[in-house]
Amino acid sequence: QVQVVESGGGLVQPGGSLRLSCAASGDALSYYDIGWFRQAPGKEREGVSCIVGKAGDTYYTGSVKGRFTIARDNAKNTVYLQMKSLKPEDTAVYYCAARRFVGYGRSWSDGASFAYWGQGTQVTVSS
């Protein structure tokens, strides 16, 4: 089974950028859907972005479209989330999660369908 570990969080000013990494071990990421989720204090967890299966189709929640980019490096077995034009409302703990690719029938933002989770990395956007 795959294990995933996030890194790259930190404190950034509004309008700044960060790149989160989700490094995998135990299996090739190309066989999995990789999702980024976030949870802010007092709020429910939400799906931020996902890259699906070997074809690498990408999905984003509306509030990050045009600002965040998800990408996969198969050689490094790593998925990245490039975040630009960050806003205070992007502040949250960001989690990387994986589920085995079985087709396109499942919602990309359904966190309950992801079996493998990282420990999370804090992103704080503040001046």
Side-chain angles (χ1 to χ4, degrees):
Q1 65 184 34
V2 71
Q3 295 88 41
V4 293
V5 177
E6 310 94 335
S7 61
L11 173 64
V12 63
Q13 292 187 342
S17 299
L18 279 175
R19 188 179 76 163
L20 305 183
S21 299
C22 173
S25 59
D27 205 350
L29 275 184
S30 58
Y31 296 123
Y32 293 81
D33 305 336
I34 302 299
W36 284 98
F37 295 81
R38 67 186 180 186
Q39 188 166 21
K43 294 188 176 181
E44 292 189 355
R45 182 179 65 196
E46 68 167 335
V48 176
S49 182
C50 189
I51 187 164
V52 174
K54 191 165 285 188
D57 297 298
T58 58
Y59 302 87
Y60 301 91
T61 192
S63 62
V64 308
K65 280 182 180 177
R67 300 189 298 121
F68 291 10
T69 304
I70 191 170
R72 185 175 65 211
D73 185 332
N74 289 334
K76 295 184 177 180
N77 217 27
T78 299
V79 168
Y80 301 98
L81 185 68
Q82 179 69 51
M83 306 186 295
K84 299 180 179 180
S85 302
L86 283 161
K87 305 175 180 179
E89 51 264 42
D90 295 317
T91 295
V93 178
Y94 284 70
Y95 298 91
C96 169
R99 68 185 184 192
R100 192 81 180 183
F101 174 72
V102 294
Y104 293 91
R106 296 179 293 180
S107 169
W108 69 266
S109 60
D110 177 13
S113 66
F114 286 77
Y116 310 103
W117 289 79
Q119 80 288 351
T121 186
Q122 176 71 47
V123 172
T124 302
V125 185
S126 175
S127 55

